[in-house]
Amino acid sequence: MRVGRLVSVIAAVMLAALVTGGGPAAGQSDYAQTGLTLHNNYRAKHGSPAMTLTQNLNNQAQKCAQYYAQNRVIDHSCPYKNGAGENLVGGEGSWDAVSFVKIGTKLWYDEIKDYDFNNPGFGMSTGHFTQLVWKASTRLGIGYASEGGWTAVVGLYNPAGNVEGQFPQNVARPR
């Protein structure tokens, strides 16, 4: 009887964590799952741990994507990110969500070509790449919105990366 009750209590706590955004996000959209898979594939090349999607970050990323699509701009001004690291891609055109997440994630990672591993640090032309592979960022949210011929994808990262002085231990050379 006690074991059965303990299992019930554990299940209730896990359910509460999922509903409040504290745990992995269940029933993800195809584009969020695609983003997670691509992030983890790229991160593995650098020895960074796999990320997990969380419902809370997905919700925030979705609000940010809608904000950017409505404003037709990607300027890191979203008021819904709550201190999370942020990668953005957006522009004219109506793209399907999975395709645009693939394009955005590849563009972010492709900044590796400009990153100087011999002089690690933040750069305006490499900040998306470094956030994507940042070892200490372990939770991810992906948002997508398309409105009036303008599309935006947002990646939110928690804890945020690109912290000055922490690049050597968080951005490793590809293996």
Side-chain angles (χ1 to χ4, degrees):
M1 183 70 90
R2 287 184 179 175
V3 172
R5 182 176 174 118
L6 178 62
V7 170
S8 296
V9 170
I10 291 171
V13 169
M14 290 174 63
L15 179 60
L18 289 171
V19 169
T20 61
Q28 293 308 312
S29 63
D30 288 345
Y31 68 82
Q33 192 59 53
T34 296
L36 175 67
T37 299
L38 292 171
H39 273 73
N40 286 338
N41 289 343
Y42 287 131
R43 289 169 63 83
K45 294 179 181 185
H46 298 267
S48 296
M51 302 189 92
T52 57
L53 288 171
T54 67
Q55 194 60 52
N56 188 44
L57 280 173
N58 277 344
N59 292 342
Q60 290 170 246
Q62 184 60 37
K63 286 180 183 178
C64 286
Q66 290 167 337
Y67 171 87
Y68 293 123
Q70 288 169 352
N71 291 304
R72 302 175 71 82
V73 65
I74 51 170
D75 61 359
H76 295 282
S77 66
C78 178
Y80 308 111
K81 58 186 170 184
N82 297 326
E86 181 182 49
N87 277 348
L88 309 171
V89 65
E92 297 284 333
S94 296
W95 297 81
D96 75 90
V98 170
S99 295
F100 210 56
V101 166
K102 286 179 181 179
I103 290 167
T105 307
K106 183 176 182 337
L107 287 171
W108 301 333
Y109 185 79
D110 284 351
E111 291 179 0
I112 188 176
K113 71 185 181 330
D114 296 321
Y115 190 71
D116 184 356
F117 288 95
N118 294 319
N119 186 23
F122 181 78
M124 291 303 288
S125 64
T126 60
H128 300 105
F129 158 70
T130 53
Q131 175 59 86
L132 193 153
V133 300
W134 195 264
K135 284 184 181 180
S137 297
T138 57
R139 293 178 302 281
L140 176 68
I142 300 285
Y144 162 87
S146 188
E147 290 192 27
W150 214 89
T151 303
V153 164
V154 175
L156 291 183
Y157 304 83
N158 199 334
N162 288 334
V163 178
E164 204 55 54
Q166 297 181 14
F167 282 80
Q169 63 266 37
N170 281 288
V171 182
R173 293 178 187 274
R175 298 174 179 186

